[in-house]
Amino acid sequence: MTNPNDPPALELRGIDMHYGYVRALDGIDVQVRGGEVLGLLGDNGAGKSTLLKVMSGVHRPTGGEILVHGAPAQFTSPADSTAAGIQMVYQDLALVDAQDIATNLSLGREILRRGPLGWLGFVDHKAQRRRAAAELDRLGVRTAAVTRPVEMLSGGQRQVVALARGATRVTGERGGVLLLDEPTAALGYEQTEQVQQLIRRLAADGIALVLVTHNLPLALAVCDRIAVLNRGRKVADVPAAETGNDELVGWITGARASMFAP
């Protein structure tokens, strides 16, 4: 983890989100530091997805403040959060199945050929493959050849490619933030282990990660800290090493009292 004296990579203060008379988020305070994995848990309708959409710029909050590395930020679109070093990995992965791994890693940052062909928009596929292979090596990712189409990959390999694509966009001199929405929802045990190892490697590289999941064993195994939402309010925020399955289930279902005053 980064220096504890450094400001959080991403901090939300007093976030409210209203849809007419419905209050989806109620005064949410949450932060994640570089090199930390924050688990965000809660039942369906608890507000997890809404909070991720606020972090990623999809939704503009009704109230509250967002800070990135200690500086106030306003997100009016996902492009704003991307520019601030925040990447979202959606549950459906948003990969182009018919294209190879290298092309998927390069979406939105294609390498054009030199000279007139580049002016006409022709892509330098060889250069993209070299860059993709180097980026995967740097992340410690061992998957199929970068020339293999995504449609030929297993579920775990597809998830790793999606995580790697997000990671290549948030690494740098100042580590960014990677938001993960149910990254293991459709995976088996071995594939979940593969994703779990990559999450820890990304955290070791200084990236801050926010993990939304219903998989409590995964959250306890991979997260440094866990926050629980219930009906739009944060009811718990604890180090993962200091809690357990029964306590988390109690907060998620509402059987256990909130850690915070109403």
Side-chain angles (χ1 to χ4, degrees):
M1 197 176 297
T2 55
N3 191 326
N5 296 322
D6 291 340
L10 177 64
E11 182 176 7
L12 278 66
R13 297 178 179 172
I15 295 295
D16 291 329
M17 190 72 206
H18 299 174
Y19 299 103
Y21 293 105
V22 177
R23 197 166 195 171
L25 297 175
D26 186 0
I28 299 294
D29 295 326
V30 70
Q31 61 177 244
V32 59
R33 297 183 177 275
E36 181 181 36
V37 182
L38 171 67
L40 196 58
L41 307 184
D43 206 349
N44 293 332
K48 307 183 303 299
S49 295
T50 301
L51 189 59
L52 273 192
K53 289 176 180 177
V54 169
M55 293 177 178
S56 62
V58 174
H59 289 339
R60 190 170 184 177
T62 309
E65 186 179 13
I66 300 174
L67 296 93
V68 179
H69 295 289
Q74 289 191 353
F75 300 154
T76 58
S77 71
D80 293 336
S81 66
T82 297
I86 300 170
Q87 282 287 318
M88 176 79 169
V89 179
Y90 293 94
Q91 189 171 351
D92 63 5
L93 306 184
L95 298 173
V96 182
D97 288 349
Q99 297 293 338
D100 61 23
I101 293 173
T103 300
N104 274 276
L105 289 178
S106 300
L107 289 175
R109 55 190 191 110
E110 290 81 3
I111 301 175
L112 299 181
R113 297 179 67 173
R114 295 182 180 180
L117 291 178
W119 305 338
L120 294 173
F122 282 80
V123 173
D124 189 337
H125 292 287
K126 289 183 179 180
Q128 287 192 166
R129 289 165 184 163
R130 288 194 297 268
R131 181 179 67 182
E135 289 175 340
L136 293 175
D137 283 343
R138 179 171 52 80
L139 292 172
V141 173
R142 297 292 179 265
T143 185
V146 296
T147 55
R148 179 169 296 182
V150 165
E151 62 191 355
M152 296 177 63
L153 302 179
S154 68
Q157 288 174 319
R158 290 164 59 88
Q159 184 67 69
V160 166
V161 170
L163 287 175
R165 185 179 62 186
T168 59
R169 288 159 168 74
V170 299
T171 52
E173 196 169 308
R174 171 180 280 181
V177 181
L178 201 55
L179 311 176
L180 311 179
D181 185 11
E182 297 285 0
T184 63
L187 303 183
Y189 176 78
E190 290 186 5
Q191 295 173 329
T192 297
E193 285 287 310
Q194 186 179 14
V195 172
Q196 178 178 321
Q197 291 170 11
L198 179 55
I199 290 172
R200 290 310 317 176
R201 281 200 298 270
L202 295 176
D205 284 342
I207 295 175
L209 296 104
V210 179
L211 170 66
V212 167
T213 182
H214 283 92
N215 187 333
L216 297 189
L218 172 68
L220 289 168
V222 78
C223 295
D224 299 296
R225 196 160 47 83
I226 295 176
V228 181
L229 301 185
N230 188 300
R231 298 183 181 181
R233 294 181 177 178
K234 188 174 77 167
V235 296
D237 194 332
V238 292
E242 297 178 11
T243 189
N245 191 82
D246 291 347
E247 288 181 317
L248 293 175
V249 170
W251 281 313
I252 290 170
T253 60
R256 189 179 182 85
S258 171
M259 295 177 61
F260 310 106

